[in-house]
Amino acid sequence: MALSGMRGLSVFISDIRNCQNKEQERLRVDKELGNVRTRFKNEKGLSPYEKKKYVWKMLYIYMLGYDVDFGHMEAVSLISAPKYPEKQVGYIVTACLLNENHDFLRLAINTVRNDIIGRNETFQCLALTMVGNIGGRDFAESLAPDVQKLLISSSARPLVRKKAALCLLRLYRKNPDVVNVDGWADRMAQLLDERDLGVLTSSMSLLVALVSNNHEAYWSCLPKCVKTLERLARNQDVPQEYTYYGIPSPWLQVKTMRALQYFPTIEDPNTRRSLFEVLQRILMGTDVVKNVNKNNASHAVLFEALALVMHLDAEKEMMSQCVALLGKFIAVREPNIRYLGLENMTRMLLVTDVQDIIKRHQAQIITSLKDPDISIRRRALDLLYGMCDVTNAKDIVEEILQYLSTAEFAMREELSLKAAILAEKFAPDLSWYVDVILQLIDKAGDFVSDDIWFRVVQFVTNNEDLQPYAAAKAREYLDKPAIHETMVKVSAYLIGEFGHLLGRRPGCSPKELFSIIHEKLPTVSSSTIPILLSTYAKILMHAQPPEPELQNLIWAIFNKYESCIDAEIQQRAVEYLALSRKGAALMDILAEMPKFPERQSSLIKKAEDIEVDTAEQSAIKLRALQQTSNALVVTDQRPANGTPPVTQLSLVKVPSMSSNVDHHVADQGLSQENGTLTTVDPQPPSADLLGDLLGPLAIEGPPSADVQPQQNIVSGVEGVPNAVEATAIVPVGDQTNSVQPIGSIAERFQALCVKDSGVLYEDPYIQIGIKAEWRAHQGRLVLFLGNKNTNPLLSVQAIILPPSHLKLELSLVPETIPPRAQVQCPLEIVNLRPSRDVAVLDFSYKFGNDMVNCKLRLPAVLSKFLQPIPVSAEEFFPQWRSLSGPPLKLQEVVRGVKPMPLLGMANLFNSFRLMVSPGLDPNPNNLVASTTFYSESTRAMLCLARIETDPADRTQLRLTVASGDPTLTFELKEFIKEQLVSIPTASRAPAPAPPAPQPTSPPAAALTDDPGALLAGLL
Amino acid sequence: MIRSVMVMNTQGKPRLAKFYDFQTVEKQQELIRSVFGVLCSRAENVSNFLDAASIFGPDSSLVYKHYATLYFVLVFDSSENELAMLDLIQVFVETLDKCFKNVCELDIVFNYSKIHTILDEMIFGGQVLETSSTELVKAVEEISRLESASNSITLVPKSVSGWRNR
């Protein structure tokens, strides 16, 4: 039964099938495209049927991977065809070929709308399907209300309504700001009473989308979800066609349980009890059966039930039951169940109290590491990695190492990385750690990055007890016939530094050490030779009493490399030769390397390099970065040096050029650290900058202000270390304004802190609007100066008082604003460093005899340089743990918090571009948020924050902030604190006194009215 | 949300490709190729899950089912249940089977337009629309009736039968 018999299309497909190779196929496709193109050109003679045929051909060609860059208009025009078949193909093909921003779609909106509101159900379906598949903004704007009407219409058939539900869902997901769902809670509750399971499934999906955005509004739907679940689980009133392999619509069951997971908790005891009864029934009543499809369906429901139980924080007994169930699953024959068992057990790790029960299954999980299916092995590895701690690290890491020898290529890198991380994190003793890393290099040298072996060197250097052991181990590996080059590097380094500690052990005389290392020289690349040369020099130095024979051997080698083409090798050879001829001086110079200084985690350093275009992209990159650099997490726990590149890893301490480089690197590291620390202090250059700015102000400032000279003195004497202090000083005496602002300046400022456009200041004469765009550490702010009157505003002046952390460039402000005119002044902003200080706009103008001056804070606040970034639990926790303690992680108990529900707090955070990740923290009273901060000094830097609230006392909470930069952590913490303690509009509203109508108020009263003074008070 | 539905044969030729987030034609081909690259190396009797993050980015999962000469693939994010997605593939195939009476690869090749219609009745904008194959067949038959006005009959030869046996 061919649905749309199109002979031409079949012939074409046949032809394509008969093509012997890709080239023939291309020729055939090109011919067809040419044909279609010509036919479309003389459109006149084209019947709708032909159009339809050609459009299908185009879609087929498109699927084969050829770009079809014409005919879009024809596809769109078919939408308006009166007959069903043409209309249908128009809709289908448009949905496939065009993206949501395509201009042609706008042309079709009217037709689409007519189809949706029309009486023809089949046309309605077609239109809804296309809108749902594309989901563009234009569609959302013009069609969402119609779709909503259709969904709740009592006359529409289920076939139409279920599509309307999903269409609305798509539009809402893509454009939540456009689709108005206010008051939809009641409608959703009604929709959940639907008897038709098709409509109910779609409605449930819609509910999931709505609830995930705002669960507060949809509490009324919760009991209905539980009812639906009961109805299905007990198989009441479920029609045969919705029973899938004996299971009442598993999809609806799954969706319903998904929706329930978006409610933080279930308070009503009756609802909770009935839900747990259903869940218990699902957990206990599911068996593994022979039929694959039935198995899949029943377990889909079961795994969703497990997730819901985890979410609801069930009693420990039920949790243990779940773990036991999962333990059973990871051992069954059915691979899908094994896979999901492991995956869910990994999720279970986040639940407190069950880790010990999970550990009981360790043996089985280790067995899964040998599963024939790589997907399952990966899950097993993830789980082992997640459950590893000091108690089982030895077992797990050794299993991973063992598996490494047989693992396929695709997994080796991940395995080695994870083994290295676990070994360092949970090493019960350091010698074991050295063993593991050396084994790792031995088994998978190709996958062991340089920083892993650098770290072994750092550990050994900093732990004297470890040195003889490490040297002996290195010596053992050198006996192996063929070893990886990385092993040559690390063992040569260790032998050079600590070989003499092996003393009189057999095979460890200087000469023997030398010859066994020298054996490797012909097999290594030029990056390793410098290390070997250093080792020779050290061996020579340690050979006491001197051995002339060894000396000659080594000198001969140095001689040979004196003319090496590789500069690094040549330089070392020359220098070592010269040094070793100096005799005693050699001892000082080649003495043991000093201990490595402590240093911050390099993971964070790497995170700074992320260039971000969109939040989503950055999330991808961040994840990618994490996967490769988790190893670096550990650096901060133990002393580590600045992992120098191989060529700089010289063993020599002072005089040679190459060793200078080494120290230079260390110095740089130190000075950088100093650099970031000093940023807390005010920077001298900014004072100069300010002086320049204040200069013109003093000369051209409002003449009526007789405090001007005083101000000048103040700034002259004190040097005004930073702009904010300056503004705090200035306005005290500056009280000449007789013009009162309209509305509260403080409120306007606060509002602008959370949005990007609005009014900054307004009085009877002028309105200053702002529109801002922020991109990473840069911003562009446009000031709109609007003269509200029919007389011009004169002597207009705008001067920016920038804090030291912002670079601001204001374009020229005209001296006069003509009547009823608006002037735009763009302002470029660059954020240099993290700081909470605020830029101030000193604005003045003259209207008639009134001289008006106001100082306005510009909303270029810290949060504007934040970019919300979503993190998953897998990403968050390692990061959080890696930033351990001050100064990178700061904690404070904040009191006097304005009490607000947790949701309100989450919204507050989101409004300041700190992205709250709901459900990430297992405790429902806590909030966890993440964001990226941008500035020139820090570049992109991930910031994490956690709020622990006390449900009994909402006025206090514990705030923890972490980031890779100490200043940033501090500033961000203070910033968040400010937002929590004094809620912007609510608490500040009373502060600015209502405009006092007396123009000649006494100075004290004027002080409160003056925006500048107000500002001083606020700062 | 379901991000993509792909049907390809065991040689890697795409038979149906639908992306619910717009992708350029080059990107589509690249994704299809990458998926096939992994699929073709999978043994029988292993799980139906694949590591999709390396191909589709974070927060993506992939399930597939292998029937005779065809792979059916679904790519989706964490808001969907993996096994339910696997069931959905089964529903799709059962529906095709009902519509074509013992469906084979050729049916899918030559009834390209019909496959699209069936898929649109089952998955809508990346969400599950209908899960009952009875309802699906009903909807598709209704559409066929509407179309029959301008329908000319084509006979599609069938070569393989009884292939639905995984």
Side-chain angles (χ1 to χ4, degrees):
Chain A
M1 50 174 285
L3 188 73
S4 45
M6 284 170 284
R7 197 169 163 71
L9 179 62
S10 296
V11 170
F12 172 64
I13 294 174
S14 268
D15 282 358
I16 291 285
R17 278 174 54 78
N18 290 334
C19 289
Q20 299 294 318
N21 53 41
K22 197 78 194 163
E23 192 46 38
Q24 278 187 10
E25 183 187 291
R26 170 167 287 281
L27 284 173
R28 182 67 187 87
V29 165
D30 283 345
K31 184 180 150 205
E32 194 62 41
L33 283 176
N35 177 28
V36 176
R37 201 189 298 257
T38 0
R39 296 304 303 264
F40 277 155
K41 257 189 200 149
N42 358 323
E43 208 181 318
K44 273 188 190 149
L46 220 53
S47 70
Y49 166 74
E50 280 171 309
K51 260 199 200 170
K52 169 180 148 184
K53 182 177 74 181
Y54 291 131
V55 169
W56 270 117
K57 282 184 181 175
M58 280 164 45
L59 191 58
Y60 194 82
I61 291 171
Y62 183 71
M63 182 196 66
L64 290 175
Y66 300 91
D67 206 3
V68 179
D69 53 1
F70 66 95
H72 295 169
M73 193 64 211
E74 283 74 12
V76 173
S77 72
L78 278 177
I79 291 178
S80 8
K83 274 169 97 189
Y84 182 85
E86 284 84 29
K87 197 185 252 311
Q88 183 214 16
V89 72
Y91 273 124
I92 291 184
V93 176
T94 305
C96 285
L97 288 181
L98 303 189
N99 83 18
E100 60 185 280
N101 300 318
H102 204 290
D103 286 340
F104 287 170
L105 288 180
R106 252 176 240 137
L107 303 176
I109 284 187
N110 263 335
T111 319
V112 176
R113 178 153 194 269
N114 285 335
D115 281 343
I116 287 181
I117 58 177
R119 307 217 133 212
N120 186 326
E121 281 185 336
T122 48
F123 287 7
Q124 283 177 328
C125 286
L126 287 177
L128 288 172
T129 306
M130 189 208 44
V131 173
N133 280 338
I134 295 181
R137 193 171 185 86
D138 292 334
F139 282 152
E141 276 167 3
S142 38
L143 302 176
D146 297 319
V147 176
Q148 283 169 322
K149 247 180 250 154
L150 207 50
L151 170 58
I152 50 174
S153 136
S154 52
S155 58
R157 273 206 300 162
L159 188 70
V160 180
R161 289 175 57 217
K162 67 186 184 189
K163 285 183 177 157
L166 291 183
C167 184
L168 183 61
L169 156 61
R170 186 72 194 270
L171 293 176
Y172 177 71
R173 273 257 166 87
K174 284 214 148 188
N175 318 282
D177 52 325
V178 174
V179 180
N180 181 6
V181 289
D182 294 347
W184 263 73
D186 294 343
R187 301 224 166 101
M188 277 320 297
Q190 276 167 24
L191 282 169
L192 295 181
D193 289 334
E194 175 69 44
R195 301 316 288 174
D196 182 284
L197 287 193
V199 179
L200 191 53
T201 307
S202 297
S203 304
M204 198 59 85
S205 299
L206 178 60
L207 178 68
V208 169
L210 295 171
V211 167
S212 67
N213 239 24
N214 173 12
H215 65 82
E216 292 276 333
Y218 294 91
W219 280 115
S220 58
C221 297
L222 197 151
K224 306 238 172 177
C225 291
V226 176
K227 280 238 168 61
T228 306
L229 194 61
E230 276 185 307
R231 170 185 166 195
L232 293 169
R234 293 180 203 282
N235 202 352
Q236 292 160 344
D237 183 22
V238 179
Q240 186 51 38
E241 64 263 31
Y242 283 98
T243 309
Y244 176 85
Y245 288 91
I247 294 151
S249 184
W251 296 275
L252 182 53
Q253 293 198 47
V254 162
K255 267 284 175 255
T256 311
M257 288 192 269
R258 217 17 100 91
L260 287 169
Q261 287 170 56
Y262 284 100
F263 293 100
T265 175
I266 296 176
E267 271 151 17
D268 176 48
N270 286 331
T271 315
R272 194 175 164 93
R273 195 176 332 107
S274 14
L275 178 59
F276 271 106
E277 267 172 35
V278 178
L279 290 175
Q280 187 74 29
R281 173 192 279 258
I282 296 173
L283 290 183
M284 292 302 107
T286 312
D287 292 315
V288 179
V289 292
K290 269 238 168 96
N291 184 313
V292 177
N293 295 319
K294 187 182 167 82
N295 238 347
N296 279 347
S298 62
H299 284 78
V301 175
L302 175 56
F303 277 112
E304 206 58 52
L306 276 171
L308 184 54
V309 170
M310 272 190 250
H311 169 78
L312 289 175
D313 244 349
E315 292 77 40
K316 190 168 178 187
E317 196 187 329
M318 195 161 186
M319 288 292 190
S320 320
Q321 209 179 356
C322 291
V323 180
L325 208 52
L326 289 171
K328 203 177 92 190
F329 289 159
I330 62 175
V332 298
R333 243 184 91 242
E334 172 63 38
N336 289 338
I337 311 288
R338 283 207 302 277
Y339 176 94
L340 290 170
L342 290 166
E343 190 181 70
N344 282 278
M345 224 184 229
T346 312
R347 277 186 209 149
M348 206 78 170
L349 286 173
L350 295 174
V351 179
T352 38
D353 299 345
V354 294
Q355 280 89 344
D356 287 335
I357 319 177
I358 293 177
K359 275 190 200 162
R360 287 185 212 148
H361 300 281
Q362 190 169 314
Q364 181 59 42
I365 301 167
I366 286 174
T367 316
S368 308
L369 209 48
K370 300 170 184 103
D371 197 282
D373 183 356
I374 185 170
S375 303
I376 292 177
R377 291 197 295 271
R378 284 219 163 92
R379 289 290 85 82
L381 180 60
D382 283 348
L383 177 52
L384 284 174
Y385 181 73
M387 65 192 277
C388 190
D389 61 21
V390 187
T391 62
N392 56 10
K394 258 189 163 158
D395 295 339
I396 289 181
V397 171
E398 270 150 33
E399 278 301 332
I400 295 179
L401 280 177
Q402 209 184 18
Y403 172 48
L404 194 57
S405 329
T406 52
E408 60 273 79
F409 219 63
M411 272 187 81
R412 287 197 180 187
E413 184 164 8
E414 201 185 345
L415 281 166
S416 351
L417 191 63
K418 291 200 158 145
I421 294 170
L422 293 179
E424 187 166 340
K425 258 190 177 164
F426 303 117
D429 58 83
L430 284 172
S431 56
W432 178 79
Y433 168 72
V434 172
D435 282 348
V436 169
I437 302 296
L438 290 181
Q439 274 188 61
L440 202 58
I441 298 175
D442 186 38
K443 289 182 166 167
D446 282 341
F447 299 107
V448 177
S449 61
D450 280 344
D451 21 308
I452 295 180
W453 80 261
F454 288 169
R455 195 148 317 124
V456 176
V457 166
Q458 289 155 10
F459 272 62
V460 176
T461 309
N462 290 5
N463 290 282
E464 276 162 35
D465 301 345
L466 201 56
Q467 291 165 356
Y469 179 80
K473 273 276 159 192
R475 175 69 187 79
E476 271 174 38
Y477 276 104
L478 284 172
D479 273 337
K480 283 194 153 194
I483 57 176
H484 193 271
E485 187 163 339
T486 305
M487 185 64 90
V488 176
K489 288 179 186 170
V490 66
S491 40
Y493 189 102
L494 291 174
I495 296 281
E497 282 289 295
F498 312 114
H500 61 282
L501 300 175
L502 296 178
R504 312 220 173 282
R505 295 190 202 188
C508 295
S509 72
K511 194 160 170 232
E512 284 162 312
L513 289 178
F514 163 74
S515 56
I516 196 152
I517 292 173
H518 191 51
E519 265 174 33
K520 316 290 180 204
L521 189 127
T523 64
V524 299
S525 67
S526 57
S527 66
T528 307
I529 294 176
I531 298 175
L532 296 189
L533 294 183
S534 301
T535 304
Y536 299 162
K538 290 237 166 180
I539 291 177
L540 190 59
M541 188 253 316
H542 283 302
Q544 295 302 340
E547 295 177 29
E549 196 189 337
L550 180 65
Q551 183 173 314
N552 287 339
L553 277 172
I554 291 177
W555 280 0
I557 296 164
F558 288 160
N559 262 324
K560 180 181 156 204
Y561 283 106
E562 257 182 345
S563 52
C564 180
I565 194 158
D566 183 307
E568 179 65 31
I569 299 174
Q570 186 191 28
Q571 187 175 12
R572 288 203 193 198
V574 172
E575 287 168 355
Y576 292 157
L577 188 60
L579 281 169
S580 58
R581 286 193 168 132
K582 288 199 164 169
L586 184 67
M587 294 289 236
D588 290 341
I589 294 155
L590 291 182
E592 208 169 278
M593 290 292 282
K595 290 194 173 168
F596 290 85
E598 302 224 6
R599 208 179 53 104
Q600 80 169 92
S601 157
S602 25
L603 170 71
I604 309 304
K605 274 230 154 78
K606 272 203 180 178
E608 296 165 18
D609 295 336
I610 311 170
E611 291 283 327
V612 186
D613 296 325
T614 67
E616 196 176 359
Q617 216 177 350
S618 77
I620 295 169
K621 282 186 187 161
L622 189 77
R623 199 186 171 98
L625 196 97
Q626 264 190 332
Q627 277 162 359
T628 55
S629 62
N630 267 341
L632 309 177
V633 175
V634 282
T635 357
D636 63 336
Q637 296 175 341
R638 297 203 173 86
N641 184 331
T643 54
V646 178
T647 49
Q648 289 164 5
L649 200 87
S650 157
L651 293 159
V652 184
K653 258 168 68 187
V654 194
S656 89
M657 276 283 286
S658 52
S659 67
N660 273 347
V661 174
D662 195 357
H663 279 257
H664 186 58
V665 168
D667 287 347
Q668 254 185 356
L670 279 175
S671 63
Q672 266 169 11
E673 239 175 75
N674 291 342
T676 44
L677 284 176
T678 51
T679 52
V680 187
D681 305 320
Q683 299 276 299
S686 67
D688 291 344
L689 192 67
L690 196 71
D692 291 345
L693 277 171
L694 285 174
L697 186 77
I699 298 160
E700 295 163 26
S704 58
D706 45 7
V707 284
Q708 277 308 319
Q710 186 201 339
Q711 177 201 345
N712 217 1
I713 290 163
V714 170
S715 61
V717 170
E718 300 203 354
V720 192
N722 84 34
V724 178
E725 277 178 41
T727 57
I729 296 161
V730 176
V732 180
D734 194 354
Q735 15 151 310
T736 50
N737 293 358
S738 53
V739 176
Q740 295 304 327
I742 300 171
S744 155
I745 294 178
E747 265 176 46
R748 291 188 191 280
F749 170 76
Q750 289 298 349
L752 283 167
C753 285
V754 292
K755 54 182 197 175
D756 284 334
S757 62
V759 176
L760 180 69
Y761 172 83
E762 186 168 11
D763 65 25
Y765 306 128
I766 193 167
Q767 186 191 51
I768 306 181
I770 270 195
K771 201 168 172 179
E773 275 174 32
W774 307 96
R775 213 185 147 83
H777 66 287
Q778 292 171 329
R780 187 185 154 86
L781 210 149
V782 183
L783 295 172
F784 295 86
L785 310 175
N787 182 352
K788 295 163 71 175
N789 288 278
T790 45
N791 295 324
L793 299 178
L794 305 170
S795 308
V796 177
Q797 269 196 19
I799 291 168
I800 302 282
L801 310 175
S804 63
H805 74 287
L806 293 178
K807 206 161 82 189
L808 292 155
E809 266 183 53
L810 180 63
S811 66
L812 267 183
V813 178
E815 222 185 350
T816 309
I817 304 177
R820 299 250 169 225
Q822 193 185 52
V823 182
Q824 294 184 16
C825 309
L827 173 66
E828 303 288 346
I829 303 174
V830 178
N831 186 25
L832 304 174
R833 283 180 295 279
S835 164
R836 282 166 301 134
D837 293 348
V838 187
V840 172
L841 171 72
D842 184 346
F843 185 79
S844 57
Y845 66 89
K846 212 168 142 183
F847 182 81
N849 289 329
D850 287 334
M851 184 70 210
V852 182
N853 175 258
C854 51
K855 296 196 171 51
L856 306 163
R857 287 184 293 173
L858 289 176
V861 290
L862 183 78
S863 60
K864 301 287 183 184
F865 303 104
L866 297 177
Q867 177 82 48
I869 178 173
V871 292
S872 66
E874 294 87 328
E875 293 164 312
F876 183 88
F877 289 101
Q879 291 269 18
W880 185 254
R881 278 195 291 267
S882 74
L883 296 162
S884 54
L888 296 179
K889 189 195 258 174
L890 297 173
Q891 195 166 71
E892 185 176 338
V893 174
V894 183
R895 290 179 217 285
V897 175
K898 150 113 193 180
M900 62 180 124
L902 209 58
L903 185 80
M905 201 174 283
N907 287 340
L908 183 72
F909 268 64
N910 283 327
S911 73
F912 283 101
R913 308 200 199 188
L914 284 140
M915 185 155 177
V916 173
S917 306
L920 217 149
D921 197 307
N923 185 336
N925 291 314
N926 296 352
L927 276 184
V928 157
S930 54
T931 190
T932 319
F933 175 79
Y934 291 89
S935 74
E936 226 170 60
S937 74
T938 60
R939 297 213 256 159
M941 183 160 293
L942 183 71
C943 308
L944 305 171
R946 185 175 186 216
I947 299 267
E948 292 156 275
T949 62
D950 177 1
D953 181 3
R954 288 251 170 237
T955 64
Q956 62 170 5
L957 50 79
R958 190 160 72 170
L959 166 67
T960 316
V961 176
S963 82
D965 180 82
T967 317
L968 174 57
T969 306
F970 176 79
E971 292 289 329
L972 185 62
K973 187 198 75 181
E974 293 297 311
F975 181 83
I976 296 175
K977 209 168 80 185
E978 283 168 10
Q979 311 309 325
L980 291 172
V981 173
S982 53
I983 288 316
T985 47
S987 70
R988 281 197 180 151
Q998 325 107 294
T1000 53
S1001 47
L1007 200 88
T1008 48
D1009 293 335
D1010 173 48
L1014 245 174
L1015 176 70
L1018 287 174
L1019 289 169
Chain B
M1 173 181 165
I2 299 168
R3 292 193 182 157
S4 167
V5 180
M6 298 176 200
V7 179
M8 60 186 88
N9 73 2
T10 40
Q11 266 95 54
K13 277 209 170 34
R15 293 304 182 207
L16 175 72
K18 183 118 183 169
F19 294 83
Y20 293 97
D21 291 321
F22 186 81
Q23 306 283 356
T24 61
V25 68
E26 296 83 16
K27 184 76 188 163
Q28 293 189 2
Q29 292 302 310
E30 187 195 317
L31 292 173
I32 293 170
R33 266 198 307 277
S34 317
V35 169
F36 178 71
V38 188
L39 281 182
C40 64
S41 59
R42 301 273 296 169
E44 286 291 323
N45 300 322
V46 291
S47 67
N48 298 95
F49 303 103
L50 270 193
D51 177 34
S54 56
I55 302 174
F56 293 89
D59 191 18
S60 51
S61 312
L62 185 157
V63 298
Y64 72 98
K65 264 190 155 182
H66 183 184
Y67 298 86
T69 58
L70 290 175
Y71 289 115
F72 286 75
V73 180
L74 276 185
V75 184
F76 50 91
D77 65 17
S78 59
S79 68
E80 303 289 342
N81 177 305
E82 289 104 329
L83 286 175
M85 289 296 108
L86 208 53
D87 292 338
L88 200 62
I89 296 183
Q90 181 67 22
V91 172
F92 187 38
V93 173
E94 284 180 13
T95 310
L96 291 178
D97 207 48
K98 285 180 187 163
C99 290
F100 293 106
K101 313 271 182 302
N102 246 336
V103 66
C104 70
E105 187 182 343
L106 280 183
D107 292 321
I108 291 176
V109 172
F110 284 101
N111 295 285
Y112 185 60
S113 52
K114 180 160 180 177
I115 309 297
H116 267 275
T117 313
I118 297 172
L119 183 63
D120 276 348
E121 288 301 316
M122 190 176 82
I123 298 174
F124 180 106
Q127 296 289 334
V128 180
L129 173 66
E130 184 53 70
T131 57
S132 151
S133 66
T134 320
E135 290 292 314
L136 280 168
V137 172
K138 246 193 261 170
V140 173
E141 274 168 358
E142 197 173 309
I143 293 172
S144 312
R145 260 201 313 282
L146 285 162
E147 276 201 328
S148 58
S150 67
N151 217 0
S152 64
I153 294 150
T154 25
L155 290 169
V156 176
K158 277 199 185 168
S159 54
V160 194
S161 59
W163 56 283
R164 200 185 119 243
N165 58 355
R166 148 100 217 230

